[in-house]
Amino acid sequence: MASGSDRTPIIIGGLPSQVPDFDPEETAEWLESLDAAVDERGRERARYLMLRLIERAREQRVAVPEMRSTDYVNTIATAAEPYFPGNEEIERKVLNATRWNAAVMVSRAQRPGIGVGGHIATFASSASLYDVGFNHFFRGKDGGDGGDQVFFQGHASPGIYARAFLLDRLTEQNLDGFRQEKSKAPHGLSSYPHPRSMPDFWEFPTVSMGLGPIGAIFQARMNRYMEARGIADTSASHVWAFLGDGEMDEPESLGQLTIAARENLDNLTFVVNCNLQRLDGPVRGNGKVIQELESVFRGAGWNVIKLIWDRSWDPLLAQDRDGALVNKLNATPDGQFQTYATETGEYIRDHFFGGDRRLRSMVENMTDEQILHLGRGGHDHRKVYAAYKAAKEHKGQPTVILAQTVKGWTLGPNFEGRNATHQMKKLTVEDLKRFRDRLRLPIPDKALEDGVPPYYHPGRDSDEIQYMHDRRQELGGYVPTRVDRSKPLTLPGEKTYAAIRKGSGSQQIATTMAFVRLLKDLMRDKEIGKRFVLIAPDEYRTFGMDSFFPSAKIYNPLGQTYESVDRELLLAYRESPQGQMLHDGISEAGCTASLIAAGSAHATHGEPLIPIYVFYSMFGFQRTGDQFWQMADQLARGFVLGATAGRTTLTGEGLQHADGHSQLLASTNPACVAYDPAFGFEIAHIVKDGLRRMYGENAEDVFYYLTVYNEPAQQPAEPQDVDVEGILKGLHRYRPGTDGELPAQILASGVALPWALEAQQILAEEWNVKADVWSATSWNELRRDAVEAEQHNLLRPDEEQRTPYVTRKLEGSQGPFVAVSDWMRSVPDQIARWVPGSYQSLGADGFGFADTRGAARRYFHIDAHSIVLGVLSELARAGQIDRSAPKQAIDRYRLLDVGAADPGPAGGDA
């Protein structure tokens, strides 16, 4: 062997290559010892010695680099496994009954005339992972706290229903209502974990893959946040997330791992069900997904527990003196392991063990049947228990358990490990018989041959059912369960809103800043001030919220261990373990996960929080829209602020930063109450009503989306005769026309209202048109009201017919209607059907671009002079003015020349 002095140093894993060797002789002795071990005992023995040295070094707290991956064996040695406190025989019977009912429920859902689908194979692979948790770990809510928070894998929902059936939480009628929520109401069951569909059962929606992992991370972090701020005692709550190995390819699954490690979230455990299959085939056919995930999680700072082999492998591994078996396990790709799950014992003997004399000798006394049943660790209750116990007891890091299973386990040769198993939903009679025999259930053949297969229940007084109830009582109640113990909040009085209603005087401020000023007053409230949770993706300064740094501070469980570069400034960056502001970095997905966790705290922990999530509007519904659906499903509440809204207010940022569509996307979410206010006083009424609806008596499970702008403008004082109902319902007359003879109506929202007011003046002075200006605070809510009215009229023709609010509001208003906003025309077009007169909309359709605000508005033809043209065009079409008037306006205002537009107001980043 070459000596160390003869080779070029190769430093791996962060060892400091610049550090000099202060004792070269001692170093040489160590290297020579290693060389001798290799020469005399072989590389495998030398490798073992090195790994033991690293292990001992860690025990002695020597800072050695972390290994990215370890051998393809269980992390917890057999000798280190704890005592298993359960009755394994009873738990086997419980699990077999659960497996049967889950599969039969899905199979029965395919009966003629129904055929609603479902998934069998995912739960079949993960059943033991759940069962051990239910029997020994998952804490319920009967103790008055939030218990544990369990994120169940969406496709495994049939197994969760099946277990609830055995516990009398669901009936046979419920199981037969699987995926028939309306036709079998009130007994129907949702397809996946949907709290909005089953608000007393499910807590967390997870089936949109990738959202479960990120949601679990930020739920664990929110638990710590609430405890640090003295809002709720969450010290006993543990967050469990059950995930799929294929699901880990989603960017949301792995994108926020480091925050869990950075904040030492040892109240969090991921259980990744590594059945090695996606929906269509292997996850890593040519690779090893468990090894890959181990490297990723270790690199992110997580504690990793690999649970790969069941107890039947223990004797074989104990014989593996020279590492031949471990080497074979390390070298076999996942695609081959999937094949072994579908083959015979003879095939496994020949293809896995047969290529090496040492391996053949290990199994020479085993039958093919015994070889066939060399199993995966995720199906072994004792191994699973050991992994869960180690995860709960580990301190200082989150833990991931990588558990190997077989997809479709116990379902028979037509299902187990097959590529198509995810789409297979129906069991044949022969499948059912084999399945029954495998589970040892007392179900006669005739019951399987006549019609739909029966459910199995061992009897309410049986040992199995009593065991299940006893375990859940000891652990604090049934899981999953969602319960809202929160009480209505005492909301602020009128005084809190007085300042913003007075307007800004001669000062020009954007509506974003108007909202921030209101928020500052709300946070001073003695009753609810501490419940506000401020959330932003590295943009607090952009939105003028750095003024909160000194008082509210930024949440960091470690505090601030450095001297801030701006520490001497009044608005210095300040971090604190009790901080109120969540600064989640440049991650809108992370921020939205924080929003959801905070917005559902009223149910999770019985303590309402009021999240305020402020972000660049185009990075909300455009980028994280799936999470807003998750928020709606989770019945979360709070305020979502799409700042720097509009297609022409942030034009220096260019195409992708110009939001002219988020209001339209928001309209698709039934739980989203969306507003586009123009002035601060409108914001005051909207926020006040939002607090009432979400946190007052008879609280509603909705969330508010407000689009606010970065364009400075003089904020007017609230009119004395302000139409509060109109503001909240979506439309109020802001300024009636006073001059001119020809009537017209201009409807505008958000930043477009000042353009409408300028157009009103031009029309009166130059065209003899008397235009009323309306503030459309919510096109979406106007449409929602109108649709509800039409639906009522359609289905109840014998009752008094309803008139949509927008129709009633505009009745009697004369002249044409022209709508304008900084959104694409589809936004104001939502109400066209119900406007009582000719209607034209102006909007910013197309891609945004970088230019001055004035040029952009002229390009899209939504500026004041374009509004004038819109009104004149409608009047000419109606024969009320000369048909040449629109062409005169085009020429007079040079509307076809973008360069002729006034550049408009500049600045206003906030």
Side-chain angles (χ1 to χ4, degrees), residues 147-217:
D148 284 354
Q149 289 81 56
V150 185
F151 288 71
F152 294 95
Q153 193 177 2
H155 289 128
S157 61
I160 312 306
Y161 291 141
R163 195 174 210 279
F165 165 69
L166 294 176
L167 289 166
D168 282 338
R169 301 185 66 206
L170 296 175
T171 66
E172 186 170 322
Q173 192 175 11
N174 290 130
L175 298 193
D176 275 345
F178 177 59
R179 292 195 170 198
Q180 300 153 76
E181 297 179 61
K182 302 302 181 184
S183 61
K184 293 292 193 289
H187 305 290
L189 298 179
S190 63
S191 53
Y192 303 124
H194 291 306
R196 186 165 287 273
S197 298
M198 298 176 65
D200 299 324
F201 192 86
W202 296 114
E203 272 200 287
F204 305 106
T206 54
V207 80
S208 188
M209 291 190 183
L211 299 193
I214 194 172
I217 289 172

Side-chain angles (χ1 to χ4, degrees), residues 286-340:
N286 293 322
K288 298 179 80 64
V289 70
I290 289 178
Q291 302 299 84
E292 179 183 319
L293 291 175
E294 179 185 25
S295 297
V296 170
F297 278 92
R298 283 188 186 278
W302 285 53
N303 174 45
V304 179
I305 298 175
K306 285 160 47 172
L307 172 58
I308 301 180
W309 307 115
D310 74 3
R311 70 191 75 173
S312 64
W313 286 85
D314 290 347
L316 298 180
L317 288 165
Q319 299 176 47
D320 191 29
R321 297 179 59 84
D322 52 10
L325 178 56
V326 169
N327 183 63
K328 182 67 173 179
L329 295 173
N330 288 340
T332 303
D334 285 354
Q336 192 61 45
F337 276 127
Q338 182 187 347
T339 298
Y340 290 144

Side-chain angles (χ1 to χ4, degrees), residues 386-407:
Y388 286 7
K389 188 172 188 291
K392 282 292 299 289
E393 293 175 352
H394 186 80
K395 300 302 178 186
Q397 291 175 291
T399 293
V400 59
I401 297 170
L402 304 173
Q404 185 171 203
T405 65
V406 174
K407 196 161 189 176

Side-chain angles (χ1 to χ4, degrees), residues 113-126:
I114 304 297
V116 291
H119 300 283
I120 299 176
T122 293
F123 177 72
S125 67
S126 57

Side-chain angles (χ1 to χ4, degrees), residues 563-693:
E563 285 189 327
S564 174
V565 68
D566 58 1
R567 61 190 178 280
E568 296 181 359
L569 299 180
L570 181 62
L571 303 183
Y573 193 86
R574 303 208 178 153
E575 300 180 73
S576 166
Q578 292 79 41
Q580 194 165 357
M581 307 171 76
L582 293 179
H583 192 302
D584 290 338
I586 304 176
S587 172
E588 286 83 7
C591 290
T592 311
S594 287
L595 164 72
I596 296 169
S600 53
H602 61 280
T604 310
H605 294 293
E607 292 289 348
L609 296 177
I610 309 172
I612 307 289
Y613 174 31
V614 191
F615 55 91
Y616 268 40
S617 62
M618 55 280 165
F619 295 147
F621 282 87
Q622 173 177 305
R623 177 170 288 185
T624 58
D626 194 15
Q627 286 179 285
F628 287 117
W629 281 93
Q630 181 189 24
M631 182 178 187
D633 198 347
Q634 198 162 313
L635 309 175
R637 306 164 185 166
F639 291 94
V640 176
L641 274 293
T644 59
R647 186 144 282 163
T648 69
T649 60
L650 198 65
T651 53
E653 297 284 343
L655 186 149
Q656 286 180 276
H657 284 58
D659 172 27
H661 51 279
S662 69
Q663 279 284 343
L664 194 64
L665 297 176
S667 72
T668 66
N669 192 314
C672 179
V673 183
Y675 286 94
D676 186 33
F679 299 126
F681 72 84
E682 293 177 337
I683 292 174
H685 287 289
I686 292 167
V687 171
K688 179 184 176 184
D689 192 59
L691 288 171
R692 176 192 65 80
R693 287 183 64 180

Side-chain angles (χ1 to χ4, degrees), residues 26-47:
E26 181 184 31
T27 303
E29 291 175 3
W30 278 90
L31 295 175
E32 288 171 6
S33 296
L34 176 62
D35 292 344
V38 174
D39 291 339
E40 297 174 14
R41 303 296 301 277
R43 289 186 175 86
E44 288 300 326
R45 177 60 181 169
R47 178 178 182 273

Side-chain angles (χ1 to χ4, degrees), residues 598-811:
S600 53
H602 61 280
T604 310
H605 294 293
E607 292 289 348
L609 296 177
I610 309 172
I612 307 289
Y613 174 31
V614 191
F615 55 91
Y616 268 40
S617 62
M618 55 280 165
F619 295 147
F621 282 87
Q622 173 177 305
R623 177 170 288 185
T624 58
D626 194 15
Q627 286 179 285
F628 287 117
W629 281 93
Q630 181 189 24
M631 182 178 187
D633 198 347
Q634 198 162 313
L635 309 175
R637 306 164 185 166
F639 291 94
V640 176
L641 274 293
T644 59
R647 186 144 282 163
T648 69
T649 60
L650 198 65
T651 53
E653 297 284 343
L655 186 149
Q656 286 180 276
H657 284 58
D659 172 27
H661 51 279
S662 69
Q663 279 284 343
L664 194 64
L665 297 176
S667 72
T668 66
N669 192 314
C672 179
V673 183
Y675 286 94
D676 186 33
F679 299 126
F681 72 84
E682 293 177 337
I683 292 174
H685 287 289
I686 292 167
V687 171
K688 179 184 176 184
D689 192 59
L691 288 171
R692 176 192 65 80
R693 287 183 64 180
M694 294 186 288
Y695 299 97
E697 297 287 344
N698 303 313
E700 301 175 52
D701 295 314
V702 296
F703 66 95
Y704 272 53
Y705 178 54
L706 279 68
T707 43
V708 289
Y709 298 81
N710 71 321
E711 184 169 339
Q714 187 174 340
Q715 297 294 323
E718 178 177 292
Q720 289 187 346
D721 59 346
V722 64
D723 178 5
V724 176
E725 181 190 46
I727 291 173
L728 299 181
K729 286 187 174 293
L731 185 67
H732 68 105
R733 180 158 29 204
Y734 175 68
R735 183 177 294 173
T738 56
D739 299 315
E741 297 179 0
L742 296 171
Q745 311 297 320
I746 303 174
L747 283 59
S749 71
V751 77
L753 199 60
W755 319 335
L757 294 172
E758 183 182 351
Q760 179 188 48
Q761 183 177 351
I762 295 171
L763 285 165
E765 293 175 354
E766 301 183 25
W767 302 94
N768 193 33
V769 175
K770 181 181 180 182
D772 293 347
V773 173
W774 299 75
S775 177
T777 53
S778 181
W779 310 100
N780 295 2
E781 287 300 292
L782 291 174
R783 179 187 182 278
R784 186 169 288 171
D785 169 83
V787 169
E788 289 175 358
E790 282 198 346
Q791 185 79 347
H792 173 273
N793 297 342
L794 175 69
L795 300 176
R796 295 173 177 82
D798 54 335
E799 297 182 12
E800 182 180 355
Q801 299 292 277
R802 295 180 184 175
T803 302
Y805 180 82
V806 64
T807 306
R808 287 186 280 117
K809 198 71 175 176
L810 295 176
E811 276 179 342

